[in-house]
């Protein structure tokens, strides 16, 4: 039998796949919502920055609390 991965691995996978989906389609969503192309790009870029910071924070917190 193959054991299931630890809970923190599954949580990270859930978090990372959700972030990738949202970041990948945010600019398109903003364009559909009526923003100008340049503003949609700026909002998407800002959202990408927030998502990257969230992933880095998650990794640092796991390393910090696992010791």
């Amino acid at each position: 039998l193959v054991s299931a991965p630890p809970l923190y691995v599954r949580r990270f996978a859930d978090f990372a796949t959700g972030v990738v989906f949202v970041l990948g389609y945010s600019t398109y969503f903003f364009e559909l919502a009526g923003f100008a192309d340049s503003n949609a790009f700026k909002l998407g870029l800002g959202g990408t920055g927030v998502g990257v910071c969230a992933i880095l924070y998650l990794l640092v917190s796991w390393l910090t609390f696992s010791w």
Side-chain angles (χ1 to χ4, degrees):
L1 291 173
V2 177
S3 62
L7 181 61
Y8 63 89
V9 172
R10 287 181 279 161
R11 294 284 167 99
F12 177 74
D14 292 342
F15 178 77
T17 54
V19 168
V20 169
F21 177 78
V22 169
L23 295 179
Y25 290 99
S26 64
T27 303
Y28 178 65
F29 171 77
F30 291 136
E31 288 177 355
L32 289 178
F35 287 95
D37 291 344
S38 62
N39 289 338
F41 176 75
K42 291 175 188 175
L43 286 169
L45 193 60
T48 301
V50 169
V52 168
C53 289
I55 289 175
L56 291 176
Y57 174 76
L58 180 67
L59 292 174
V60 168
S61 67
W62 276 346
L63 293 173
T64 302
F65 290 115
S66 66
W67 297 102

